[in-house]
Amino acid sequence: MNISMTRIQAILMKDYKEFSRNYAVSSMVLLPIILAFLYNQSGASSINAYLLPINMTFSMVTAYIQCCLIAEEKEKNTLRSLMLSPASLGDILIGKSLFVLIVTMIVVAMSIFIVGYKPSNLLILAISLVLSTVFYIALGTICGLFSKSIMEGSIIVLPVIIIFSFGPIALNFASTYPILKIAEWLPSSQLLLLAEALEGKYSMSDVFIPMITIVVWSLLSWFLAAFIYKKRMVD
């Protein structure tokens, strides 16, 4: 697979222009920041309070914006042209993901700073945040490929926002409803478990199990996204 930085940069700049023109999409970056500010003002200092704005960033910013950018391409019938262009699959997937990755990292960093979260091991947490971003970009890509317009994409991505943002909250009810224990294996819950482990004495398994789980989710999601993308090329 040939990767062209020129084509990736062109796709990146195109996404930036579309994002800056669509205020309904770009305004979503404010929601996690506002939530982080409210938590800071309320004096919340638990790991759950710190991680909720971060997990909301992944679903309401990363997945949502990625979905809407791809849905907008389909709505304007430009995605087909991009598929038939000399750009390779890698060029398109990387180019369509890079802008959202940058936006996500900025919003996550601002949320962490505003809420006052000071992780004990910033390096391990940063790696897990990047891995989570990669996963949510894949989810947004899948949702976008199933959408025909931005409006439709906004609806399709809602289950992602609900399930993955509030996965850790579902764990609080797992003792009453045992079926909710499955939420422990969601990437958002694994990120919370990792953050909690880093605050105390942790073993290698406390770090590797959550990170491997997130990596597996990411790989499966990107394989599915690539498969759907190739199917759309021949439809």
Side-chain angles (χ1 to χ4, degrees):
M1 183 190 301
N2 295 323
I3 302 295
S4 171
M5 293 305 300
T6 302
R7 291 171 184 152
I8 290 174
Q9 185 178 3
I11 296 172
L12 169 66
M13 293 307 298
K14 182 176 182 295
D15 281 350
Y16 166 72
K17 292 176 181 178
E18 291 176 352
F19 172 81
S20 60
R21 286 195 295 260
N22 193 327
Y23 297 114
V25 176
S26 57
S27 60
M28 292 296 289
V29 302
L30 299 176
L31 294 180
I33 296 175
I34 293 172
L35 180 62
F37 178 77
L38 293 175
Y39 271 124
N40 178 266
Q41 293 299 306
S42 67
S45 57
S46 66
I47 295 297
N48 278 298
Y50 291 149
L51 267 292
L52 184 57
I54 295 174
N55 279 322
M56 285 190 65
T57 298
F58 289 139
S59 59
M60 301 185 71
V61 175
T62 312
Y64 180 84
I65 293 178
Q66 180 74 355
C67 174
C68 288
L69 287 175
I70 294 177
E72 186 174 14
E73 293 269 17
K74 295 185 70 176
E75 187 175 3
K76 295 178 178 178
N77 293 319
T78 55
L79 185 61
R80 174 67 64 181
S81 300
L82 190 60
M83 288 178 173
L84 298 176
S85 71
S88 66
L89 175 62
D91 292 337
I92 296 172
L93 293 182
I94 294 173
K96 297 297 294 182
S97 304
L98 192 55
F99 174 74
V100 178
L101 175 65
I102 295 170
V103 171
T104 300
M105 290 295 99
I106 293 173
V107 176
V108 167
M110 292 180 65
S111 298
I112 290 174
F113 175 76
I114 293 172
V115 82
Y117 179 32
K118 297 178 180 178
S120 299
N121 194 317
L122 182 58
L123 177 60
I124 293 178
L125 183 69
I127 294 172
S128 64
L129 291 175
V130 172
L131 293 174
S132 296
T133 303
V134 171
F135 164 69
Y136 283 94
I137 290 175
L139 276 188
T141 301
I142 293 170
C143 293
L145 289 172
F146 278 111
S147 308
K148 296 179 181 179
S149 65
I150 294 179
M151 183 64 69
E152 189 174 318
S154 301
I155 297 172
I156 290 177
V157 80
L158 280 178
V160 172
I161 295 175
I162 295 171
I163 294 172
F164 291 95
S165 289
F166 302 103
I169 297 177
L171 294 179
N172 297 327
F173 302 95
S175 57
T176 306
Y177 305 99
I179 193 172
L180 293 179
K181 289 182 180 179
I182 194 172
E184 178 181 345
W185 296 102
L186 293 174
S188 53
S189 300
Q190 290 295 307
L191 184 61
L192 174 62
L193 294 175
L194 175 61
E196 288 177 339
L198 293 177
E199 295 304 311
K201 293 182 179 179
Y202 58 89
S203 64
M204 296 300 289
S205 62
D206 294 329
V207 173
F208 281 115
I209 291 177
M211 294 185 76
I212 290 173
T213 302
I214 297 173
V215 168
V216 170
W217 274 95
S218 301
L219 290 175
L220 292 175
S221 300
W222 274 112
F223 280 132
L224 180 59
F227 174 77
I228 297 172
Y229 175 86
K230 290 181 178 179
K231 287 274 290 182
R232 290 291 185 269
M233 289 184 69
V234 296
D235 284 347

